[in-house]
Amino acid sequence: MRDLKQILLEEIPEFKAKGEVFLKGELGKMDFKKVSGGFGVYAHRDGKHFMIRLRILSGVLGKEQLVAICNLAERYAVPMIHLTTRQAIQFHKLSLDNVCKVMEEGLEYNLYTRGAGGNYPRNVAMSPLAGLMKEEAFDVVPYAMAANGYFLQRINTYHLPRKLKVSFTSDKADGSQATVQDMGFVATLKDNKPYFKLYLGGGLGRNPRKGIPVDRLLPAEEALYALEAMVQLFTHEGDYEHHHKARVRYIADRMGDEAFVNCFWKYFETAKVKGGLDFSPEMPKYTKVGKRVEINHIAITSQKQEGLYSYYFHPLGGQLDYRLLRKISNLIEPMKDVHVRLSMGEGLYLVHLNGEEVQQVAEALDADNYLLGVEQTRSCIGVPICQMGILESQKALRAIVDYFKAKGNIKESLPPIYISGCPNSCGVHQIAGIGLVGNKKKIDGVLTGIYDVYMKGKCTVGETHLGELIGEVQEDQLPAFLYDLASKIEAAHQSFDQYMEANKEEVEQLLSK
């Protein structure tokens, strides 16, 4: 990676020059975005400040990197750190100079931003507890990391129609959302040997699509050939003329599922003939001696390694300042083998904790952890930061939580709520039990913020389905609607799914008030 780092360092002055032209008003927002996205940088809505996205490889964050992130955030006065819905970390409200400094200094700690946005392969997602779960086919960590390396080694050379999202999942819960990605690898065993079941051509946002389940299993050691096949398919078959139809799923729509899968295997066989991507994984060795404790705690999961545990920490809306992150860093620093795994839900796991350590962590962090009822709500960054945003999704999240708390009940009868401030689905609303999408429409002649309401989405291997649009609710009425719905479910003594099955029309009427 040393040569790559030098190349990336040499790119920064040219990027900065483009940014200066943008700040002078001589380059439009969209034209600047075409350049900045590939560096993991986006201008804020005010046109003066910037966001930079740190590409945390499959969400795995070592102690040294965690300290570096805390130091960067403090040094450059980052007011808010955002844990994203794709295992990345975003710094907001930075000057152009400080964006470039973060970009440069981050490379010293293998914190990459190149390709974290724009028309590039994005961070390879992974089940956050891969290798640690009691019920998983096999450990996908080395495969996901090899995929990251494959993309990063070429990251400055890609010319794709749009972004490319790849995920590796090791269990049926689909912790990396592999079944709704451009390319998903789901671990499975055949004759006690590791294989991947592939899901191709999925994606959320406008015109969403579940991934096509591929019958032919892929030997796990051929994973990099499959990646090369998808890159070549996307490069040669993708639409470079129409931005809104340039994702992989539109190729599948155009060709049809069977022809699309056959086309993929054609590119795969070509890659195999070319060779050079054979992969023999070195499986991680987990040697830490555990210590068992009897504990029943919502944030704590027992690992398959005897006497070791993981603690899940979820800041409200995925947002925290560097002081809280520093507290976490200082807490785990003396703990052997403990590191961070970012989730797809705007939170993080502290893994490889023994029984005494996990109790210590819980005591230190529980007060800042939001895991009950509507506190679990996820949200994109939204207005007033995002250029594409329509509504203030983070404000809506806090309004919901505050409303429920004011009523004295956070209500655990609702499934997790995912909020996107616009139809782009950065909040992955289409796979939520309750998904909300920001929009605006005229009501009585006044342009009014509304949320389109989707329900009964799900992302689980073999059971994934996209949420159904059932109505809309005005922005200022959203908390009351959700509280009324939760109260009705509790009164019926039913689960959310049971209630929706029996009372869908009643919910639609509740939305039409």
Side-chain angles (χ1 to χ4, degrees):
M1 291 293 185
R2 189 169 299 167
D3 291 341
L4 172 65
K5 288 180 181 179
Q6 187 58 41
I7 291 169
L8 299 184
L9 285 170
E10 291 170 359
E11 290 180 332
I12 295 174
E14 184 177 351
F15 164 77
K16 186 177 181 181
K18 286 283 187 182
E20 289 169 344
V21 174
F22 166 73
L23 288 173
K24 291 176 183 176
E26 298 171 3
L27 185 66
K29 283 187 177 181
M30 296 311 295
D31 288 330
F32 177 65
K33 182 180 177 182
K34 291 176 183 177
V35 176
S36 70
F39 290 85
V41 176
Y42 290 94
H44 279 198
R45 207 178 185 93
D46 64 8
K48 299 176 183 178
H49 298 96
F50 301 86
M51 176 275 283
I52 188 165
R53 182 179 296 144
L54 304 178
R55 187 179 182 128
I56 310 303
L57 305 185
S58 295
V60 179
L61 193 60
K63 290 178 183 176
E64 188 177 14
Q65 290 178 310
L66 184 59
V67 170
I69 289 170
C70 294
N71 290 343
L72 289 170
E74 182 175 10
R75 186 177 304 136
Y76 299 114
V78 176
M80 180 269 293
I81 298 168
H82 186 207
L83 309 181
T84 76
T85 55
R86 197 172 178 81
Q87 297 175 318
I89 290 177
Q90 293 178 175
F91 287 175
H92 286 274
K93 211 167 184 180
L94 291 171
S95 68
L96 178 63
D97 283 347
N98 287 348
V99 158
C100 294
K101 289 174 182 176
V102 169
M103 202 182 296
E104 180 179 346
E105 294 172 29
L107 287 173
E108 297 177 28
Y109 299 93
N110 296 323
L111 296 170
Y112 296 89
T113 68
R114 196 68 164 91
N119 301 336
Y120 290 85
R122 300 296 181 85
N123 190 30
V124 176
M126 180 183 76
S127 298
L129 294 181
L132 316 179
M133 292 179 286
K134 294 178 180 178
E135 296 182 3
E136 64 178 354
F138 60 88
D139 188 350
V140 301
V141 170
Y143 300 95
M145 289 305 176
N148 278 300
Y150 162 85
F151 284 137
L152 273 176
Q153 288 164 12
R154 303 159 175 79
I155 199 64
N156 62 314
T157 68
Y158 285 106
H159 180 58
L160 301 177
R162 286 286 302 278
K163 58 190 168 187
L164 179 67
K165 292 186 174 182
V166 174
S167 290
F168 284 78
T169 280
S170 57
D171 70 315
K172 291 184 178 180
D174 199 3
S176 71
Q177 301 164 13
T179 53
V180 289
Q181 303 291 312
D182 295 303
M183 187 173 202
F185 294 76
V186 177
T188 189
L189 293 173
K190 180 182 177 183
D191 300 327
N192 209 33
K193 294 180 180 179
Y195 286 81
F196 287 112
K197 183 171 181 63
L198 298 177
Y199 287 79
L200 304 178
L204 303 178
R206 291 175 171 84
N207 302 311
R209 203 182 205 275
K210 295 189 296 182
I212 303 165
V214 178
D215 291 334
R216 174 178 163 184
L217 295 179
L218 177 78
E221 67 272 14
E222 297 181 351
L224 298 185
Y225 287 108
L227 289 179
E228 176 67 12
M230 179 54 75
V231 168
Q232 293 303 319
L233 186 158
F234 195 21
T235 301
H236 290 94
E237 309 293 340
D239 189 339
Y240 287 86
E241 300 297 323
H242 305 95
H243 182 78
H244 63 290
K245 289 191 174 182
R247 294 293 299 275
V248 170
R249 61 183 177 271
Y250 292 100
I251 305 174
D253 284 344
R254 186 179 75 239
M255 290 183 173
D257 289 4
E258 184 177 356
F260 175 75
V261 172
N262 289 339
C263 184
F264 165 78
W265 287 120
K266 173 186 170 184
Y267 281 103
F268 176 81
E269 296 303 334
T270 300
K272 284 293 296 294
V273 170
K274 187 176 179 181
L277 294 174
D278 297 296
F279 174 59
S280 297
E282 182 177 342
M283 302 307 291
K285 293 181 174 65
Y286 303 105
T287 59
K288 182 172 179 175
V289 177
K291 183 170 184 177
R292 289 191 62 185
V293 292
E294 294 297 325
I295 191 165
N296 182 18
H297 191 293
I298 188 173
I300 296 174
T301 302
S302 297
Q303 296 180 188
K304 65 182 179 183
Q305 293 81 20
E306 182 69 20
L308 295 182
Y309 303 85
S310 299
Y311 178 90
Y312 186 59
F313 181 76
H314 177 253
L316 189 63
Q319 297 187 353
L320 69 168
D321 67 19
Y322 76 85
R323 286 173 288 269
L324 181 51
L325 197 61
R326 178 87 71 189
K327 178 181 178 180
I328 294 171
S329 177
N330 291 339
L331 184 63
I332 67 171
E333 194 280 328
M335 299 177 180
K336 183 178 184 293
D337 294 343
V338 175
H339 65 270
V340 170
R341 301 270 190 98
L342 300 180
S343 78
M344 301 284 277
E346 299 181 318
L348 59 85
Y349 287 92
L350 302 177
V351 303
H352 295 323
L353 298 158
N354 67 31
E356 289 182 352
E357 291 167 343
V358 79
Q359 290 176 319
Q360 182 183 346
V361 165
E363 183 178 345
L365 298 181
D366 278 356
D368 295 306
N369 205 355
Y370 291 83
L371 287 176
L372 298 175
V374 294
E375 294 176 345
Q376 302 174 71
T377 300
R378 306 176 189 179
S379 171
C380 67
I381 201 66
V383 175
I385 293 174
C386 178
Q387 289 185 31
M388 307 300 292
I390 297 175
L391 296 185
E392 297 183 60
S393 48
Q394 285 282 337
K395 181 179 177 181
L397 183 157
R398 281 162 173 75
I400 293 166
V401 173
D402 289 347
Y403 187 93
F404 277 58
K405 286 188 173 180
K407 291 284 188 178
N409 189 338
I410 57 171
K411 300 288 188 187
E412 297 193 52
S413 54
L414 296 180
I417 301 163
Y418 301 172
I419 309 175
S420 297
C422 76
N424 282 338
S425 199
C426 293
V428 296
H429 60 270
Q430 287 147 331
I431 53 171
I434 299 176
L436 304 171
V437 186
N439 217 326
K440 287 189 176 181
K441 65 181 288 188
K442 282 193 174 182
I443 299 176
D444 297 328
V446 178
L447 192 62
T448 303
I450 63 164
Y451 279 97
D452 294 325
V453 180
Y454 290 76
M455 289 196 176
K456 298 189 70 175
K458 188 176 184 180
C459 188
T460 304
V461 175
E463 299 179 10
T464 294
H465 54 86
L466 302 177
E468 175 187 356
L469 177 63
I470 68 164
E472 64 186 39
V473 59
Q474 290 186 39
E475 185 177 19
D476 60 354
Q477 297 173 9
L478 176 61
F481 158 70
L482 291 170
Y483 192 86
D484 287 349
L485 176 60
S487 299
K488 289 178 181 293
I489 294 171
E490 285 185 356
H493 302 290
Q494 293 177 313
S495 70
F496 173 77
D497 287 340
Q498 290 170 336
Y499 185 85
M500 287 302 301
E501 192 70 32
N503 300 280
K504 181 182 174 184
E505 290 184 4
E506 182 181 340
V507 175
E508 290 173 343
Q509 290 172 3
L510 199 61
L511 283 167
S512 65
K513 283 184 179 180

